[in-house]
């Protein structure tokens, strides 16, 4: 009996380790391969010289340290953040559609950033700050609309499901309104500004820098431990509100903590690279099917895998297919997310039939 009990945990651990290895390999591919290739030996020479102030390799040091490496680092971190955010929402609400893409968090960030760019002429860190503020404001509005029931209180098991549905419906409605706001602002912008806005709206790693990586890393140093602390109560919450309350879980506080952490993760990731479409939506279900059960670490790693793979394709393979055109990473993830959503809906209907 003890052997049987240990098998699922061992399988989950092995599959999570496999995902981690895949992230490392894709990270290495993004830094070492592509239009400008670097050998492993040269990479470590460049990295050592950068850290110790040693002799740099002309051209190669700049490309690796100022373009390829920060791009891969930020891609990994935003993938982790989006993957965790989506998994937290989907697990808490027990609904695969409950991701920042669907419930309006990403649209809040987009509306904030586009307003800053078009109306105030902002750029750089100001745009990221506006995106962060927009995401948090929309999250507060959605939470306020859906607060009645067990999402904000202690309610029963059925109340939690109803409150979750209200949150999703409120998010979809607000997302539609914000989409209209963004479209209106785009019509008021000049061509050059509209082009900049469009790149940001698609989600791009082209503006990756060590400054952004540092801010994002500091945010994740706070938010990842918060998600880890919530993992235990969240697993119990999956049993239903009544069962969780009977086991000593403070349902209202736990839900509020999950919402705040998930929103903050999505907001900081969006502020760093724009609303990279469908990463948060895809990561949880893919990780669940690969690992056999819900897992926050697996979801975070799958999110990183999606972003790194999509960015490698967008930056290195798409130009070969499209006469040199480099696509934003969000175009690739969006193309992946749409058919996956349709497949998820079809399989859900078959299960319900």
């Amino acid at each position: 009996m003890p052997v049987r009990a240990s098998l699922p945990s061992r399988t989950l651990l092995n599959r999570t380790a496999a995902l981690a290895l895949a992230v490392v390999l894709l990270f290495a591919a993004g830094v070492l391969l592509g239009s400008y290739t670097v050998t492993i030996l040269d990479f470590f020479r460049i990295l050592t010289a950068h850290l110790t102030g040693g002799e740099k390799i002309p051209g190669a040091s700049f490309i690796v340290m100022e373009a390829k490496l920060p791009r891969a680092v930020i891609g990994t971190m935003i993938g982790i953040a989006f993957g965790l955010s989506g998994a937290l929402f989907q697990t808490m609400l027990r609904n695969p559609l409950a991701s920042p893409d669907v419930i309006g968090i990403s649209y809040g960030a987009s509306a904030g950033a586009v307003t800053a760019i078009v109306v105030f002429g902002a750029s750089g860190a100001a745009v990221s700050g506006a995106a962060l503020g927009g995401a948090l404001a929309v999250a507060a509005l959605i939470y306020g609309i859906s607060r009645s029931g067990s999402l904000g209180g202690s309610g029963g098991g059925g109340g939690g499901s109803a409150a979750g549905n209200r949150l999703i419906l409120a998010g979809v409605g607000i997302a539609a309104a914000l989409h209209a706001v963004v479209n209106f602002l785009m019509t008021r912008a000049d061509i050059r500004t509209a082009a900049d806005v469009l790149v940001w709206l698609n989600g791009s790693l082209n503006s990756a820098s060590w400054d952004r990586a540092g801010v994002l890393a500091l945010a994740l140093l706070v938010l990842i431990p918060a998600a880890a602390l919530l993992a235990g109560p969240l697993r119990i919450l999956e049993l239903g509100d009544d069962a969780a309350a009977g086991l000593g879980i403070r349902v209202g506080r736990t839900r509020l903590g999950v919402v705040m952490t998930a929103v903050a993760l999505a907001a900081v990731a969006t502020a760093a690279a724009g609303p990279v479409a469908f990463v948060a939506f895809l990561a949880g279900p893919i990780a669940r099917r690969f690992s056999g059960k819900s897992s926050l670490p697996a979801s975070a790693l799958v999110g990183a895998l999606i972003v790194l793979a999509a960015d490698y394709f967008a930056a290195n393979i798409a130009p070969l297919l499209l006469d040199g055109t480099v696509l934003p990473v969000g175009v690739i993830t969006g193309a992946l997310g749409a058919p996956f959503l349709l497949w998820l809906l079809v399989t859900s209907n078959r299960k319900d039939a």
Side-chain angles (χ1 to χ4, degrees):
M1 192 69 179
V3 175
R4 288 184 180 179
S6 65
L7 283 177
S9 298
R10 185 177 301 175
T11 300
L12 178 61
L13 184 62
N14 290 339
R15 292 181 179 180
T16 304
L19 289 173
L21 178 61
V23 169
V24 172
L25 292 175
L26 269 176
F27 184 96
V31 175
L32 302 177
L33 304 178
S35 57
Y36 188 93
T37 59
V38 181
T39 65
I40 296 176
L41 181 61
D42 282 344
F43 170 75
F44 283 107
R45 283 176 56 197
I46 291 168
L47 185 60
T48 302
H50 182 80
L51 295 175
T52 61
E55 184 179 357
K56 297 181 179 179
I57 301 175
S61 294
F62 177 83
I63 291 173
V64 171
M65 297 307 303
E66 301 302 325
K68 283 180 165 257
L69 192 56
R71 186 185 187 104
V73 169
I74 288 183
T76 302
M77 288 194 292
I78 67 166
I80 289 172
F82 278 128
L84 273 178
S85 177
L88 286 170
F89 273 123
Q90 290 164 349
T91 303
M92 181 189 75
L93 299 177
R94 298 190 287 277
N95 191 322
L97 295 179
S99 77
D101 311 279
V102 177
I103 65 173
I105 307 301
S106 296
Y107 278 105
S110 298
V114 172
T115 301
I117 294 171
V118 175
V119 178
F120 301 103
S123 61
V127 176
S128 298
L132 182 62
L136 295 176
V138 168
L141 179 60
I142 294 170
Y143 187 83
I145 292 173
S146 60
R147 188 177 178 184
S148 60
S150 65
L151 191 65
S154 60
S161 175
N165 291 335
R166 282 194 296 273
L167 188 145
I168 294 171
L169 291 173
V172 169
I174 292 172
L178 292 175
H179 183 66
V181 170
V182 169
N183 286 339
F184 171 76
L185 291 172
M186 289 284 284
T187 64
R188 309 297 297 175
D190 60 72
I191 294 177
R192 195 170 293 178
T193 302
D196 293 338
V197 169
L198 192 60
V199 171
W200 194 93
L201 286 174
N202 284 319
S204 174
L205 296 176
N206 292 339
S207 59
S209 66
W210 288 117
D211 290 339
R212 291 194 179 193
V215 173
L216 185 55
L218 288 175
L220 293 184
L221 283 175
V222 175
L223 295 172
I224 290 177
L229 289 174
L230 290 166
L234 187 61
R235 186 172 297 278
I236 298 175
L237 204 60
E238 288 186 85
L239 302 174
D241 290 359
D242 290 335
L247 293 171
I249 300 297
R250 295 184 176 180
V251 174
R253 289 188 181 182
T254 300
R255 288 186 183 276
L256 180 59
V258 171
V259 168
M260 291 176 63
T261 303
V263 166
L265 284 164
V268 297
T270 304
V276 183
F278 286 125
V279 176
F281 171 70
L282 292 168
I286 292 175
R288 190 178 302 112
R289 281 161 176 77
F290 180 78
S291 302
K293 61 187 296 187
S294 298
S295 170
L296 294 183
S299 298
L301 292 170
V302 169
L305 274 175
I306 292 171
V307 174
L308 290 173
D311 185 57
Y312 186 86
F313 183 91
N316 300 296
I317 298 176
L320 301 177
L321 304 175
L322 302 172
D323 296 327
T325 301
V326 178
L327 297 175
V329 64
V331 171
I332 307 300
T333 59
L336 291 173
F340 186 84
L341 174 59
L342 294 175
W343 176 81
L344 190 64
L345 291 173
V346 169
T347 55
S348 298
N349 288 337
R350 286 177 181 172
K351 289 179 182 178
D352 294 339

